[in-house]
Amino acid sequence: MKENVYTILSKMYNGTTRGVRFFIVQMFVWTAIEALFGPLGGGGRSSFILYMSLQMCILAYTMIFSLFYSFVPFKHNLKGAFIPYILYTSLIYLGIVEVNNWNFKRVTIDCYMLMGWLAPIYGLCVLILQEKIKKKLRPYPRFLKITRMTLNLFSILCILVFILYIFLLAWKMI
């Protein structure tokens, strides 16, 4: 029994760690794209809300994908990505329907819902880019090791800051 609990917790930890690490990579690429093309676009409150909503969609799919593959030993391929994607899209849709008091007739598929549904394609593009970069940098294993260690450290720091933020919010409410 202890081995089963340990295995489940270990798989959850590994899936969460991989998901957070890949989300940080996606945000790094997003920040680089924003730095290059950000001055061309507008700003304002509505674009910030859209930006944060897309970030949450990317985080949600990344975590669903990582946790799914930590428990289900499928080969990572395009066909296998559809199972977590179907789960993700149905959760997004049901979340929107729940906000509208479970009135399915009132909910329509609009551009914002489509952007949320298509946000995981960004993760796929980043994954392809990551694999291409790894392939090009294989002759430099020391650089890859340093990059991996830096990314792991940054991921741990982000998780600790998030946990600290949650504790501070909870402490303020008391």
Side-chain angles (χ1 to χ4, degrees):
M1 179 74 175
K2 285 184 180 180
E3 294 85 20
N4 292 339
V5 172
Y6 176 75
T7 303
I8 290 171
L9 290 176
S10 174
K11 287 183 179 189
M12 284 187 71
Y13 173 77
N14 290 335
T16 304
T17 305
R18 265 188 262 123
V20 168
R21 189 178 331 141
F22 187 61
F23 177 70
I24 289 171
V25 168
Q26 290 178 73
M27 293 306 100
F28 178 75
V29 172
W30 187 292
T31 305
I33 292 171
E34 280 286 317
L36 291 173
F37 299 109
L40 299 176
R45 186 169 189 253
S46 62
S47 66
F48 178 74
I49 292 171
L50 179 63
Y51 172 79
M52 292 307 293
S53 299
L54 282 174
Q55 299 300 325
M56 291 302 108
C57 288
I58 291 169
L59 176 63
Y61 180 73
T62 302
M63 295 309 293
I64 289 171
F65 183 82
S66 297
L67 287 171
F68 179 79
Y69 278 106
S70 67
F71 284 100
V72 181
F74 281 114
K75 184 179 179 184
H76 287 270
N77 58 20
L78 194 56
K79 289 187 295 185
F82 282 117
I83 297 169
Y85 184 74
I86 290 170
L87 178 64
Y88 164 78
T89 54
S90 56
L91 286 174
I92 294 283
Y93 182 74
L94 289 176
I96 293 171
V97 170
E98 189 266 332
V99 167
N100 289 304
N101 294 324
W102 297 102
N103 187 356
F104 285 89
K105 292 180 183 177
R106 194 168 157 196
V107 176
T108 59
I109 297 175
D110 59 354
C111 66
Y112 297 112
M113 188 183 296
L114 284 176
M115 283 184 356
W117 283 350
L118 296 175
I121 294 175
Y122 168 72
L124 178 66
C125 293
V126 171
L127 186 65
I128 291 169
L129 179 67
Q130 185 179 4
E131 291 301 316
K132 298 254 184 221
I133 290 172
K134 279 183 186 178
K135 190 183 242 185
K136 293 282 185 188
L137 293 177
R138 273 209 185 104
Y140 310 102
R142 188 171 180 192
F143 180 75
L144 280 174
K145 183 179 179 181
I146 292 171
T147 305
R148 191 175 297 120
M149 289 172 51
T150 305
L151 188 59
N152 287 340
L153 180 66
F154 191 67
S155 300
I156 290 169
L157 286 175
C158 286
I159 291 170
L160 290 176
V161 166
F162 179 73
I163 290 171
L164 181 66
Y165 177 73
I166 296 296
F167 280 131
L168 288 175
L169 280 179
W171 186 56
K172 265 186 159 178
M173 290 183 177
I174 294 177

